[in-house]
Amino acid sequence: MLLNKKKLNFGDNNSPEISLNSNLKRWFSRNIGLWKSQRTYFLEETKKTYNLCMNIKIQALENKSEWESHYKFSWYTEKKYNFFEENPQYKEQGEMQAFLKGHQLVRGNFYLSNVAGISNIKQVDENEMIFESSYKDWYILEHSRLVDSDNYRFRVIYSWNKNKLKIVENHHEIKIIK
């Protein structure tokens, strides 16, 4: 069999064909919807554990470029919890916009801060991603797994401040609106 010796033109290094990670984009699209999030927080400093329920809404935003994936994450509680009074660094409600760039999630802000930043993403398999973030004195490691045809999601988040583990979170989430 003769091979065509013509060079194929795949575009320059900034072309969408090279920077787009379809698995990552597909995984994020599977998370679109409204989630009920049953959470457990263990705070090392106070040696206290808190249980609360929040709603998380994940939306895909329209983009100028079909190659970019932009998202809006919003969260809110359905009732008042003492947790937020005792821990004012946490927000009862809020919003974050972010977009995918290669294997990174570029965030407009983080949950515990209004600081913009980047989370590096590692794909474990088609259902699980690991997010690794740093800002100020914080280092955060989050494992997020979709299960049962994307109807459930389990997240565990470890947060270190100045190299000391300060917060451990477990989130059991049920998709209530797709």
Side-chain angles (χ1 to χ4, degrees):
M1 180 171 138
L2 292 174
L3 295 175
N4 187 349
K5 302 229 181 211
K6 265 175 122 179
K7 285 188 176 184
L8 295 175
N9 182 6
F10 288 106
D12 61 23
N13 288 337
N14 294 324
S15 75
E17 294 86 358
I18 292 173
S19 65
L20 179 67
N21 180 315
S22 61
N23 287 337
L24 194 55
K25 189 174 178 180
R26 185 174 60 243
W27 188 86
F28 269 87
S29 70
R30 292 166 58 196
N31 284 270
I32 301 294
L34 181 62
W35 296 84
K36 183 170 285 293
S37 180
Q38 300 288 342
R39 298 175 174 205
T40 301
Y41 291 91
F42 175 73
L43 306 181
E44 174 61 32
E45 212 157 43
T46 59
K47 304 280 191 240
K48 286 180 106 176
T49 302
Y50 298 88
N51 292 302
L52 54 123
C53 182
M54 295 187 80
N55 292 306
I56 302 170
K57 186 175 184 181
I58 302 171
Q59 299 169 276
L61 300 177
E62 294 208 16
N63 311 304
K64 292 178 186 173
S65 167
E66 65 182 278
W67 301 106
E68 293 178 352
S69 298
H70 288 250
Y71 302 96
K72 181 168 112 177
F73 301 80
S74 47
W75 60 90
Y76 56 93
T77 61
E78 289 182 348
K79 68 177 197 171
K80 289 282 185 193
Y81 290 97
N82 290 338
F83 172 78
F84 297 103
E85 291 170 14
E86 294 176 25
N87 303 284
Q89 73 272 27
Y90 285 88
K91 300 173 186 174
E92 257 181 294
Q93 61 183 24
E95 182 178 292
M96 175 191 71
Q97 291 196 19
F99 65 92
L100 291 174
K101 184 174 185 177
H103 281 270
Q104 296 180 320
L105 182 65
V106 180
R107 299 170 181 254
N109 58 286
F110 285 94
Y111 180 61
L112 294 177
S113 170
N114 287 326
V115 173
I118 294 173
S119 295
N120 291 310
I121 305 170
K122 296 177 186 171
Q123 186 171 1
V124 175
D125 57 34
E126 70 179 69
N127 296 309
E128 184 172 348
M129 299 290 170
I130 298 172
F131 299 84
E132 204 173 7
S133 311
S134 314
Y135 64 94
K136 294 188 176 180
D137 292 328
W138 287 97
Y139 169 74
I140 296 129
L141 185 64
E142 174 184 342
H143 293 254
S144 186
R145 176 170 276 291
L146 291 164
V147 293
D148 190 36
S149 300
D150 307 337
N151 291 311
Y152 299 93
R153 187 169 65 183
F154 178 73
R155 297 188 299 145
V156 61
I157 304 166
Y158 303 96
S159 300
W160 287 265
N161 186 266
K162 296 180 181 175
N163 295 322
K164 292 186 180 182
L165 185 61
K166 296 289 186 178
I167 307 166
V168 177
E169 305 174 35
N170 289 301
H171 302 201
H172 298 269
E173 299 171 340
I174 300 169
K175 189 180 274 188
I176 53 178
I177 298 176
K178 294 182 182 190

